[in-house]
Amino acid sequence: MSIDMAKRLLALLREDLSPDEVLWSFEDAGSDMHANIYMARASDNRYFALELWWSED
């Protein structure tokens, strides 16, 4: 289920922002995790970043 949600999030970001480049990173630190999505759009020289963090309590 979480994989489907992540794919949907990326699809919606691509649809809304129309980036030319997308880069993502993921860090699993055991009980907490970080994910970053970076996007760039050349037509108007825009840069977008989405930083996500979650933990297992």
Side-chain angles (χ1 to χ4, degrees):
M1 180 168 167
S2 58
I3 297 294
D4 292 333
M5 291 173 66
K7 287 180 181 179
R8 180 73 177 140
L9 172 61
L10 287 173
L12 290 170
L13 287 170
R14 284 183 187 265
E15 181 182 317
D16 186 46
L17 301 174
S18 302
D20 298 306
E21 302 284 335
V22 176
L23 173 69
W24 65 273
S25 66
F26 176 79
E27 180 184 341
D28 183 350
S31 63
D32 64 311
M33 299 176 200
H34 304 267
N36 298 306
I37 303 170
Y38 306 103
M39 297 157 283
R41 186 170 58 208
S43 64
D44 57 356
N45 201 30
R46 299 280 308 263
Y47 173 77
F48 309 94
L50 176 62
E51 298 178 4
L52 305 166
W53 174 84
W54 64 97
S55 68
E56 296 176 17
D57 294 332

